[in-house]
Amino acid sequence: MKHLAQFLVAVITLIHVFWASAAYAGDVYFDSKWTLWQNADILIWTTEKDSPIDPKEFCLSLRRNNTGIGEPKCRLFGEWERDTVATRYASWLSNNIEPGLEAHYLKARHPSMMAKFQALEDKIVLYITDKGSDLKIAIFDENASEPRAVGSVSKNADKIALGDEIASTLFDRHTTRRLSKEERLKKESEPDDLYKETPTFRSWGGISAGFAQAQIPLTPDNWYSSHTRSRVGNYRITKDSVSLWNFIDDSTPLFTVYVGGIWFGFIGGEIFYRYSSHDVKIDERDSVYEELDHWNFSQHEIGLNVLLSRSFEPFKWLDLHLFTFLGFQYSFYSEDIELKDSKKAPSKEYETRIRFEDAYKGALFGFGTQCVFLHHYGISVRTGLSSRGKDIYTEPSPDAAAEPTTIGASTIDWFISFGLEYHWTPFK
Amino acid sequence: MVLATALLLTSCASSYHWSKSHPAYARAPYGELSITGLQTALVLTRTKWFANRLDFGDSTQIKATEFCAKAIEREFRSAYSNLSVLPDSLLAEFPEESQKLDERIFMKGKLPEQGVSIKDAAGNIPPQILLIHEVIIGTDLKRENFFDYALIHNESEERRDVKNISAIISYTLWDNVKQRPLFSAVDEIQHPVLKLSLTDLEQLMRQTVQQIRKNLYQGAGK
């Protein structure tokens, strides 16, 4: 029970501390991203006869509250206090600052007032007006003819305490180093970081490793199961032979070497060579295979892609190219088959085993992205579908039935690959 | 496809915002109101068409707009027991400014300076002033042709068969104490006519004032 009481006292104290600090920090109506300079020049612009804060003491308050502020200079802004247009706007502002009103409702409309704001150059104007129960404060700088931040602080006859409160309400933020006159001039003539000319031609070379399989992700198994579950019996027998995946394993690693180039960051081309190795899916129950040591096919593909690309530059050191590609390819299969050493002569079935076509032609399409770091070093991801086949529609002939059917006339797979690339611009 | 395009077009047309309220506009004026702009804001288009049908003699433009201004004033007087009409010269020295009502809708008009309250002839400060910027009177007018900056340069077709006489009015309810626009709007009023008479013109002006009052009520407290 005693502990509970202690705990409650602690909680109440904490709440008091929070409440007190919240009240102390004043009330901010809105605060846009204005820049607080190191060694800031602060001009105190007030509608009151006697300034509610003392410029020198306010500078000390700033240094107490914000260690990064350096050596600020503060003074009363007499020029504006004597100016008719500025005085009218100041009294208007005093009437119009209300909680909930956004900055654009407080915009100065008079052209010569706008000109005054533009002429401020790095100086920060602190506007203070007495509203009886509290003081409304606003910050102006050269970038807008409306207040960048508005808030209120409670009234306090103690000028030092009031200065502290204002400093902690609106000046509690990171400071930025001010540029010298020369630096300013130089910066104005510097090209924009985000402005970059697209090179006329950009080229790249790369290697990639990936994976291919017959099943396209997010599509049902049963679209492919007749092909992927098929087994080769007796060196040549399958249910059907329309897809090569009836004979050989479809899901394998895939390796690619490629070079490409793009004009104006928009349209380009790419030549590639792809390699993968596929085991034949022999029916293990078949005793005829007892003689076999291994049997697989290497798939070699060469082709050409056309790319359409769109480039982004999120950071200075990163170029992002999104692209889509469409291309064609020729596929060749080289057989690698060997009998066990103990076997002297192959069986008759071995001699009459399945033979693939010399070459298949196909198409591929997909999309991907290249992330190029420091204009040269790229990593890329691409995914798509590729096909390989043979024209099925040949001219009908009288002995069509006697002709052998084309094996693998429609073989499609999905692939994804990750590549390392080097990019260069041979001419700008 | 045609239907879809038509839908798209109509949906675009109806997406305009024709009025804008200040967050501090809580209550529409009641009983007391000052208006200004009636001397110079009115413009009659297709003067010849009106001249052929109304018996104003040589100076249809001047006399018809005077007639309309009086009709507007009469209607306002019947609505606000304490109405004062301020001379246009009070605003003459101020620059013309534009107020944005919507992405493409900008309305031009003179507004008093910040920090300066308008005083009437007796030296009083009226709390709220209805600033009438522009009243365009014509036949079958559409307000988007006048206020949508993308359409402003389109030449409007001159229709031979007139279905309506119309008025387009742009105005601002001005808070004279705090010098801020409380409610700004552009209204379009159509009045069907078969054979034009002065009664039709007066009727159009009455409808215009009624529309303004309706909008002033609807815009409050938004």
Side-chain angles (χ1 to χ4, degrees):
Chain A
M1 200 62 206
K2 195 182 159 197
H3 287 290
L4 183 70
Q6 274 177 346
F7 175 73
L8 279 177
V9 167
V11 166
I12 289 166
T13 318
L14 266 178
I15 289 172
H16 266 105
V17 167
F18 271 110
W19 184 78
S21 67
Y24 185 71
D27 196 4
V28 178
Y29 297 164
F30 63 82
D31 194 352
S32 60
K33 285 179 181 157
W34 59 283
T35 313
L36 177 59
W37 302 108
Q38 271 171 24
N39 309 330
D41 268 333
I42 292 171
L43 302 168
I44 297 162
W45 179 34
T46 168
T47 53
E48 312 312 313
K49 263 196 188 126
D50 293 319
S51 170
I53 55 171
D54 181 69
K56 274 186 190 138
E57 289 298 338
F58 183 62
C59 263
L60 295 174
S61 299
L62 285 177
R63 292 176 70 171
R64 273 198 295 279
N65 270 281
N66 194 332
T67 46
I69 202 159
E71 288 183 19
K73 288 196 277 294
C74 311
R75 67 172 176 89
L76 291 176
F77 202 2
E79 299 96 302
W80 282 16
E81 282 169 16
R82 289 188 292 275
D83 186 281
T84 316
V85 174
T87 312
R88 282 179 183 165
Y89 178 61
S91 71
W92 180 85
L93 209 56
S94 173
N95 269 329
N96 275 275
I97 289 182
E98 289 170 15
L101 278 195
E102 292 161 36
H104 69 266
Y105 286 111
L106 301 174
K107 193 175 162 64
R109 283 173 25 233
H110 200 291
S112 85
M113 195 64 221
M114 294 185 197
K116 283 189 212 306
F117 286 123
Q118 278 171 19
L120 278 176
E121 259 200 30
D122 281 4
K123 296 188 189 72
I124 295 163
V125 175
L126 169 65
Y127 169 87
I128 307 173
T129 183
D130 191 340
K131 296 302 286 177
S133 57
D134 57 355
L135 297 172
K136 306 280 186 210
I137 48 177
I139 300 284
F140 291 91
D141 65 14
E142 63 174 328
N143 292 319
S145 44
E146 58 195 32
R148 307 302 307 271
V150 167
S152 82
V153 291
S154 49
K155 217 168 154 178
N156 196 336
D158 181 353
K159 289 190 175 185
I160 299 173
L162 185 63
D164 277 340
E165 192 171 348
I166 292 174
S168 68
T169 304
L170 286 183
F171 291 86
D172 186 18
R173 60 176 65 211
H174 282 290
T175 53
T176 313
R177 191 179 69 85
R178 257 159 86 170
L179 300 178
S180 67
K181 274 225 164 79
E182 295 77 36
E183 282 174 317
R184 242 174 196 261
L185 274 175
K186 191 156 181 274
K187 191 149 197 206
E188 269 166 24
S189 60
E190 257 178 17
D192 190 346
D193 276 352
L194 295 175
Y195 173 80
K196 195 188 77 173
E197 271 186 66
T198 308
T200 316
F201 184 74
R202 171 172 56 89
S203 51
W204 63 84
I207 49 169
S208 77
F211 179 77
Q213 65 178 29
Q215 185 177 4
I216 302 164
L218 307 175
T219 53
D221 271 357
N222 58 10
W223 289 9
Y224 314 92
S225 53
S226 70
H227 302 311
T228 54
R229 288 193 193 153
S230 157
R231 289 287 177 274
V232 184
N234 230 8
Y235 282 106
R236 61 175 301 120
I237 296 162
T238 56
K239 266 189 191 154
D240 75 71
S241 63
V242 70
S243 170
L244 285 175
W245 308 138
N246 284 321
F247 302 91
I248 55 180
D249 193 11
D250 62 294
S251 59
T252 57
L254 175 75
F255 302 95
T256 316
V257 178
Y258 53 95
V259 289
I262 197 155
W263 282 268
F264 303 106
F266 170 62
I267 189 162
E270 202 175 57
I271 303 169
F272 62 85
Y273 163 76
R274 313 203 303 171
Y275 169 82
S276 56
S277 172
H278 303 259
D279 286 336
V280 178
K281 299 187 289 190
I282 52 174
D283 192 346
E284 300 288 356
R285 292 166 301 183
D286 217 336
S287 57
V288 72
Y289 293 124
E290 278 170 10
E291 57 177 353
L292 196 62
D293 182 62
H294 65 267
W295 186 19
N296 57 45
F297 285 88
S298 295
Q299 175 184 275
H300 304 276
E301 292 177 322
I302 54 166
L304 183 69
N305 280 332
V306 173
L307 296 110
L308 292 175
S309 171
R310 174 85 203 266
S311 299
F312 302 91
E313 195 183 341
F315 305 104
K316 203 184 171 185
W317 42 268
L318 174 65
D319 297 307
L320 206 59
H321 308 288
L322 305 181
F323 60 86
T324 173
F325 59 88
L326 178 66
F328 67 90
Q329 61 180 357
Y330 286 94
S331 308
F332 307 95
Y333 289 87
S334 70
E335 190 183 31
D336 179 13
I337 186 165
E338 206 163 324
L339 296 179
K340 282 175 181 153
D341 290 342
S342 54
K343 195 77 183 172
K344 291 286 176 284
S347 60
K348 190 181 141 216
E349 288 83 357
Y350 176 93
E351 299 292 353
T352 58
R353 69 183 184 275
I354 194 83
R355 305 243 179 240
F356 289 173
E357 301 285 324
D358 292 338
Y360 294 92
K361 46 186 177 178
L364 69 170
F365 73 93
F367 59 91
T369 175
Q370 296 171 317
C371 306
V372 185
F373 299 92
L374 303 171
H375 304 299
H376 288 297
Y377 310 100
I379 53 173
S380 85
V381 184
R382 57 190 75 200
T383 181
L385 298 179
S386 68
S387 75
R388 36 201 85 64
K390 202 93 185 177
D391 288 336
I392 303 175
Y393 301 101
T394 48
E395 274 186 48
S397 69
D399 44 23
E403 281 183 13
T405 42
T406 306
I407 290 171
S410 169
T411 307
I412 299 172
D413 65 357
W414 165 78
F415 65 90
I416 183 164
S417 68
F418 303 88
L420 296 174
E421 295 174 355
Y422 182 77
H423 290 244
W424 72 99
T425 45
F427 45 91
K428 290 263 178 188
Chain B
M1 190 62 202
V2 175
L3 190 72
T5 316
L7 272 175
L8 195 74
L9 285 174
T10 50
S11 69
C12 277
S14 64
S15 74
Y16 287 127
H17 291 100
W18 288 106
S19 65
K20 194 178 180 189
S21 302
H22 193 279
Y25 180 43
R27 223 162 49 83
Y30 179 77
E32 185 185 0
L33 187 69
S34 301
I35 57 173
T36 178
L38 286 182
Q39 292 163 346
T40 51
L42 281 85
V43 170
L44 187 72
T45 64
R46 289 196 77 182
T47 318
K48 208 172 160 191
W49 186 88
F50 281 98
N52 287 339
R53 284 159 183 78
L54 298 172
D55 195 17
F56 278 126
D58 281 345
S59 47
T60 305
Q61 174 69 245
I62 295 168
K63 285 180 180 163
T65 49
E66 266 174 13
F67 174 84
C68 289
K70 284 211 179 87
I72 291 176
E73 193 186 324
R74 259 201 310 281
E75 184 64 23
F76 268 118
R77 278 202 194 284
S78 70
Y80 298 94
S81 54
N82 188 2
L83 183 89
S84 72
V85 180
L86 304 174
D88 288 12
S89 57
L90 284 178
L91 290 182
E93 57 178 306
F94 299 119
E96 201 165 55
E97 293 175 47
S98 60
Q99 296 182 65
K100 187 179 178 182
L101 300 184
D102 196 14
E103 278 309 305
R104 278 158 51 178
I105 307 291
F106 292 86
M107 142 184 156
K108 271 188 166 181
K110 294 184 169 182
L111 301 176
E113 195 184 332
Q114 288 165 320
V116 182
S117 294
I118 299 284
K119 285 179 187 156
D120 63 13
N124 302 318
I125 296 176
Q128 289 176 331
I129 308 176
L130 186 70
L131 311 171
I132 294 174
H133 303 304
E134 205 173 17
V135 187
I136 306 161
I137 301 156
T139 58
D140 296 314
L141 301 178
K142 286 202 166 55
R143 53 184 165 179
E144 47 268 30
N145 290 339
F146 292 85
F147 288 91
D148 181 339
Y149 72 74
L151 305 177
I152 267 173
H153 298 292
N154 289 2
E155 279 189 39
S156 59
E157 46 178 338
E158 188 110 324
R159 288 177 62 137
R160 287 202 161 267
D161 53 328
V162 171
K163 286 187 179 145
N164 301 301
I165 52 171
S166 26
I168 297 170
I169 182 161
S170 60
Y171 55 92
T172 301
L173 181 67
W174 185 254
D175 180 341
N176 196 29
V177 179
K178 294 195 166 186
Q179 296 98 39
R180 54 192 180 187
L182 291 177
F183 181 76
S184 315
V186 176
D187 284 341
E188 171 192 307
I189 299 94
Q190 306 284 355
H191 178 73
V193 281
L194 290 173
K195 192 174 180 303
L196 183 71
S197 68
L198 279 178
T199 328
D200 287 316
L201 210 53
E202 185 171 4
Q203 196 60 39
L204 177 70
M205 290 302 115
R206 293 179 68 136
Q207 285 175 18
T208 306
V209 174
Q210 282 158 14
Q211 183 65 44
I212 293 174
R213 294 187 57 211
K214 202 171 137 196
N215 282 355
L216 286 181
Y217 277 104
Q218 283 175 348
K222 261 187 189 172

